[in-house]
Amino acid sequence: MVSKWIFPGTAGHGSFRKMRRAFLLFLTLPLLFASGADGAEQALPVITEAKELHRLTRAEMLAPRKVRIKGIITYKRGEQFNDFAMQDASGGFIADVQQPGPSTRALVAGQEVEIEGFTIVDPPPAPRVSVTKLTPGPVVGLPEALSLTPQAVLGGAGLFSYVEFIGVIRSTRIETELDPARLVLEFGPPNQRLSARLARYDDKTRALLVPDTRVRVRGTALAWTSANLQPYSIFLGVHDPSQIEVLSQALEPPLAERVPIGTLIASPPEGFDARRQTVRGTVTLHWPGELVVLQHKDGAIRATPAGVSNLTLGDEVDATGFASAESGRIVLDEAVFGTATAGGLPEAETVDATRLQLQASSVDREGHRVRTFGILREVASREGQAILQMESGGTFFAALLPPGEKVPEGIRPGSSLELTGICNFILGERARRYAIRLDGFEIQLPGVAGLRMLSSPPWWTPQRLAAVIAVYIVLGVLYES
């Protein structure tokens, strides 16, 4: 089977790639192995260390450069593929055998090999070597893993080398669009996700590696690379389950540490080391599959559901997830919910928009249920979500309906509205650059029930006034003539 580090959603066209590679090989071999006095004078030295590959520019790789490196295979996704990750003492890279045979299919992680070939950049990732000669050696075992933090791996440390890190599994899934299908383990908060992809797994592995399990993961740090050879979407390629060591097993949600909402939202986040915790509160917002907000007398917290949750506004419920820092607040990531009991919504605090914004740093209304007022200036849409642009006494803010819900027909620009929903303070670029706490706020509505029209738009609008004046001017001109 033709080698390709397949992106999700892509499929191979084997015969075309074989012909293309054979053609490239035909064109480049004469350049690589040409003899003669002039050629000898111009010939560049053969690359013998992996670190030299990482120093090449795209143009130098395309030249191409001849390579001869001896190292150890650290990752091979399957017997049917003729590419693998290997490394020597200086670093790692991808080797791509052009003429696979029985010896290629028999290669295993931890085996010593010597390769000869030339540099290529397509298909990614790079650095990549098209192998024209492969000499298999003995199985000597995987090299000692470079111990890194997950953050360092995401930053590009140890790229294409055999590394290890410690973290808590947040979610798992089977990625069927990859070939072969991988068991994907996700680590870290939403804005720092790092995944480990197992090429070999079974039901026992899946039952062992579940969310909230703390593990030491060993694998090859891989990444897709752009046209200018820069890495993105970094992940770990894990050869088999033996490279994952369970340090502490997961606790089922009922056994997770119970914490008051007020305590959790004031606690520092633990990042990749965070274990699941449980809070209890009243459901004040539920955008199915996207967002749940819980409120209690000591605070409010947002939760991103791990799956489908059958919740109703006013329910009292336990939520178990990973506390994560996000835009100046703590959210409950990958949350699962216990059995809900019917209750009632907490009373919404009535507060005008100007005071809501001015008191953002002194009064904790983040995630709380509030009621405010304003004039609708415009209705916009973002990715299927209706956004009401509001103004009140010179303070501008937005009100968001749940994704897919439409603004009632009677509500038009100029309408005076009462809005009841969840206060969401916005910490944007200005806050990050200048340490100003607030860029603005928005009201997240539970649905159209959170909208109440206080008065319709006035009939006299600037546009209508302008039209009437224009008519009088025209009539006056006609009369004079």
Side-chain angles (χ1 to χ4, degrees):
M1 184 171 183
V2 174
S3 162
K4 191 174 192 304
W5 292 72
I6 298 179
F7 286 94
T10 64
H13 300 282
S15 59
F16 174 76
R17 290 198 187 92
K18 285 181 178 178
M19 289 189 291
R20 183 182 67 177
R21 287 181 172 171
F23 180 67
L24 289 173
L25 189 61
F26 174 76
L27 290 178
T28 53
L29 280 177
L31 297 174
L32 289 171
F33 303 108
S35 60
D38 293 340
E41 290 177 1
Q42 299 297 323
L44 293 170
V46 175
I47 291 175
T48 58
E49 289 186 300
K51 66 181 180 181
E52 298 177 57
L53 294 171
H54 291 267
R55 295 170 180 167
L56 297 177
T57 66
R58 179 180 177 86
E60 289 169 335
M61 281 196 177
L62 290 171
R65 290 290 302 273
K66 287 197 291 184
V67 180
R68 183 174 64 251
I69 296 177
K70 187 175 183 179
I72 297 173
I73 296 173
T74 59
Y75 177 71
K76 192 171 189 292
R77 50 187 172 141
E79 294 180 357
Q80 68 271 42
F81 299 98
N82 54 317
D83 56 6
F84 51 86
M86 64 176 289
Q87 74 175 67
D88 62 10
S90 69
F93 61 96
I94 304 301
D96 195 342
V97 182
Q98 291 299 319
Q99 299 296 329
S103 61
T104 307
R105 289 188 286 272
L107 295 174
V108 296
Q111 184 172 1
E112 193 174 76
V113 293
E114 184 174 32
I115 61 102
E116 295 182 33
F118 55 93
T119 55
I120 56 175
V121 296
D122 182 39
R128 195 177 190 95
V129 174
S130 179
V131 178
T132 56
K133 182 180 179 181
L134 171 71
T135 306
V139 176
V140 296
L142 288 162
E144 183 178 355
L146 177 62
S147 185
L148 298 170
T149 64
Q151 294 90 337
V153 175
L154 284 172
L159 197 57
F160 295 101
S161 296
Y162 191 62
V163 303
E164 69 173 20
F165 71 85
I166 292 175
V168 176
I169 299 172
R170 293 212 175 188
S171 67
T172 68
R173 70 179 188 278
I174 301 297
E175 191 59 78
T176 57
E177 293 185 353
L178 296 175
D179 185 15
R182 316 288 210 282
L183 172 59
V184 179
L185 312 178
E186 298 280 7
F187 298 84
N191 59 349
Q192 288 185 299
R193 281 285 200 259
L194 176 60
S195 67
R197 303 179 181 183
L198 277 77
R200 296 158 185 81
Y201 59 90
D202 53 22
D203 290 342
K204 182 180 178 181
T205 305
R206 294 184 62 183
L208 180 66
L209 302 177
V210 295
D212 199 49
T213 306
R214 189 168 183 263
V215 295
R216 175 182 284 108
V217 183
R218 297 184 179 92
T220 303
L222 300 170
W224 305 122
T225 49
S226 63
N228 60 2
L229 309 183
Q230 292 305 305
Y232 64 94
S233 187
I234 295 174
F235 60 95
L236 243 63
V238 180
H239 191 75
D240 59 57
S242 69
Q243 296 182 70
I244 298 182
E245 176 188 357
V246 174
L247 302 178
S248 58
Q249 295 183 335
L251 291 176
E252 292 297 320
L255 301 177
E257 178 189 13
R258 300 186 70 88
V259 183
I261 289 179
T263 300
L264 188 61
I265 61 176
S267 302
E270 296 183 35
F272 286 84
D273 294 323
R275 304 299 296 266
R276 284 199 292 208
Q277 294 173 291
T278 298
V279 297
R280 186 171 183 82
T282 300
V283 178
T284 56
L285 186 78
H286 182 208
W287 291 354
E290 185 171 320
L291 177 65
V292 174
V293 179
L294 300 181
Q295 183 172 329
H296 195 258
K297 61 183 180 181
D298 60 347
I301 190 168
R302 287 176 168 77
T304 54
V308 177
S309 49
N310 185 22
L311 298 171
T312 304
L313 296 184
D315 283 347
E316 290 188 20
V317 67
D318 286 343
T320 304
F322 301 90
S324 302
E326 183 179 294
S327 300
R329 61 178 67 89
I330 293 293
V331 300
L332 207 59
D333 183 35
E334 296 291 338
V336 295
F337 300 91
T339 303
T341 58
L345 284 167
E347 184 64 31
E349 179 189 3
T350 300
V351 55
D352 67 78
T354 301
R355 187 156 59 96
L356 191 61
Q357 181 153 315
L358 289 176
Q359 295 178 340
S361 60
S362 58
V363 180
D364 181 20
R365 296 188 177 98
E366 166 60 39
H368 286 71
R369 196 163 178 261
V370 298
R371 180 179 295 111
T372 193
F373 311 89
I375 304 298
L376 176 61
R377 296 306 183 194
E378 182 185 2
V379 177
S381 178
R382 181 177 61 211
E383 297 180 356
Q385 185 171 28
I387 303 173
L388 288 73
Q389 303 291 352
M390 306 294 300
E391 186 265 331
S392 176
T395 298
F396 294 86
F397 62 99
L400 283 65
L401 281 167
E405 287 201 27
K406 296 182 178 180
V407 179
E409 291 184 4
I411 295 178
R412 305 186 307 277
S415 299
S416 177
L417 302 178
E418 177 188 276
L419 309 163
T420 304
I422 303 303
C423 176
N424 180 36
F425 289 125
I426 301 170
L427 297 174
E429 186 61 26
R430 186 173 55 159
R432 286 189 290 269
R433 291 179 63 184
Y434 304 114
I436 299 171
R437 186 183 188 281
L438 187 66
D439 281 70
F441 73 90
E442 61 188 19
I443 303 298
Q444 296 170 315
L445 300 169
V448 293
L451 290 172
R452 187 164 75 93
M453 189 163 69
L454 301 179
S455 62
S456 300
W459 192 91
W460 279 108
T461 64
Q463 293 82 0
R464 284 176 174 163
L465 179 60
V468 170
I469 292 173
V471 170
Y472 271 105
I473 291 173
V474 172
L475 290 176
V477 170
L478 293 174
Y479 179 79
E480 291 291 336
S481 62

